[in-house]
Amino acid sequence: MWQGVIPAVTTKFTPEDTLDFKEMQRCFQYLMDAGCDGLIACGSLGEGPFLSHAERIDVLKLSKEVCGSKPALLTVAEASTKEACALAEKGARAGADGLMVVPSTIYHTNHQETIANLRAIAAAADLPVMIYSNRIAYRVDVTTDMLEELADDARFVAVKESSDDIRRSTEIINRLGDRYDLFTGVDNLAFEALTAGAKGWVAGLVVAFPHETVAIYKLIQAGRYAEALTIYRWFRPLLDLDVSSYLVQNIKLVEAMVIESNERVRLPRQPLQGEVRSRAEAVVRAALATRPVLPQLA
């Protein structure tokens, strides 16, 4: 149902800390023009937990408008099942094509609680769901056993696999075949996951480098692995910026340097400063100085 490069977009703010719709429209359209296959609004990179439900629905609506016929997904990542279901219902009414669902944040659910939480959210919206499994960031692991248990509900259509263990991708495919559309959610494991059989990439650095991200995906799909690997090796230092507690500030800094956006974040986050900023800027400057010429793609 879903495949390709689907960016987890950043949320843009004005100096007054309101949503900057004009800048989001520009940035989102840039991604779609580069060949991306949809958008995911208000995830971790999109500072979703720092937004009100109303703000998240507004970002979703803009994403939907820019995506056209391609899918626009809303991230649901709430502490309580009640709040998660309420947001899921709002997303459905606002026209979301699907949800990306993170198991309960704050409280770390056990196996039974995780299954029940995911089922309740899917039922509340009655939309296709991408299950977001990220045991590193959220400390709830949606295991292959859980995916098998959830497979009886057709609303669960995809998995964003972010366990940080590349073996998990093969494990899911071996156990469940093509029951789920498998996406990689770790930027600096993307080549490995896509060549292991993942159908898509929920990407972060794509927001500043969409043409390179799409090229890697399309080259792998065409079996042109050596060409894809050359671009990926150049991209890797940038992709490492996605795997950090500062991923939002890192990637917004990259957007500012590469596509002339801004790096405003919502408090308590603040833009990078000091040595952390200097290191990130150095990575971006080095990448821009050696940016590859992309091959022709069909």
Side-chain angles (χ1 to χ4, degrees):
M1 182 174 182
W2 294 326
Q3 62 182 3
V5 175
I6 303 186
V9 293
T10 58
T11 301
K12 296 300 181 183
F13 302 107
T14 67
E16 295 75 33
D17 195 39
T18 60
L19 296 178
D20 188 340
F21 293 104
K22 183 177 179 180
E23 181 60 3
M24 281 190 285
Q25 198 281 334
R26 182 184 79 89
C27 292
F28 296 177
Q29 191 63 57
Y30 176 56
L31 297 172
M32 302 310 293
D33 290 345
C36 292
D37 298 288
L39 299 174
I40 298 177
C42 306
S44 302
L45 182 56
E47 299 173 77
F50 291 42
L51 306 176
S52 68
H53 281 195
E55 287 176 316
R56 281 181 261 190
I57 295 302
D58 283 342
V59 177
L60 167 68
K61 288 179 178 178
L62 178 59
S63 301
K64 176 77 175 172
E65 178 183 322
V66 174
C67 279
S69 62
K70 294 182 177 180
L73 278 62
L74 176 67
T75 305
V76 174
E78 300 292 280
S80 74
T81 302
K82 180 179 180 181
E83 283 298 298
C85 289
L87 179 58
E89 290 171 354
K90 292 172 186 175
R93 289 197 299 269
D97 296 298
L99 306 175
M100 183 173 75
V101 178
V102 181
S104 176
T105 56
I106 309 300
Y107 173 68
H108 307 125
T109 51
N110 64 25
H111 182 113
Q112 178 182 342
E113 291 166 334
T114 301
I115 294 291
N117 182 51
L118 290 169
R119 288 192 187 279
I121 297 165
D126 196 25
L127 288 174
V129 171
M130 176 185 291
I131 300 168
Y132 183 9
S133 177
N134 188 334
R135 63 187 180 188
I136 305 299
Y138 302 113
R139 294 175 61 186
V140 175
D141 188 9
V142 184
T143 64
T144 307
D145 287 343
M146 291 181 182
L147 295 177
E148 188 168 28
E149 189 171 340
L150 291 165
D152 62 354
D153 188 333
R155 288 173 291 212
F156 294 113
V157 301
V159 179
K160 179 185 175 184
E161 168 33 41
S162 299
S163 69
D164 206 37
D165 183 351
I166 193 59
R167 293 169 294 191
R168 179 69 67 83
S169 295
T170 299
E171 181 181 307
I172 291 170
I173 294 168
N174 281 352
R175 178 87 67 87
L176 294 160
D178 61 359
R179 167 60 185 82
Y180 294 98
D181 293 335
L182 179 62
F183 281 72
T184 180
V186 182
D187 265 6
N188 61 4
L189 280 177
F191 180 88
E192 293 83 353
L194 290 168
T195 54
K199 293 182 178 181
W201 181 359
V202 177
L205 269 299
V206 65
V207 297
F209 292 96
H211 295 92
E212 289 83 356
T213 307
V214 170
I216 290 169
Y217 176 80
K218 288 188 173 181
L219 288 167
I220 290 172
Q221 298 309 301
R224 295 162 64 179
Y225 301 116
E227 293 169 277
L229 185 56
T230 296
I231 302 167
Y232 183 69
R233 285 173 173 163
W234 162 82
F235 212 178
R236 255 300 299 274
L238 287 163
L239 298 177
D240 290 346
L241 296 174
D242 180 62
V243 187
S244 165
S245 58
Y246 296 116
L247 83 157
V248 176
Q249 295 97 316
N250 283 341
I251 293 177
K252 283 193 167 181
L253 172 61
V254 178
E255 285 184 293
M257 295 178 68
V258 178
I259 63 169
E260 298 182 343
S261 189
N262 67 72
E263 53 180 312
R264 299 185 193 104
V265 288
R266 180 157 281 180
L267 294 171
R269 284 192 176 96
Q270 297 181 11
L272 297 179
Q273 301 176 34
E275 182 58 30
V276 176
R277 183 183 186 89
S278 297
R279 287 197 298 270
E281 288 176 337
V283 168
V284 179
R285 286 194 295 269
L288 291 174
T290 57
R291 197 169 190 173
V293 176
L294 300 179
Q296 292 293 317
L297 297 167

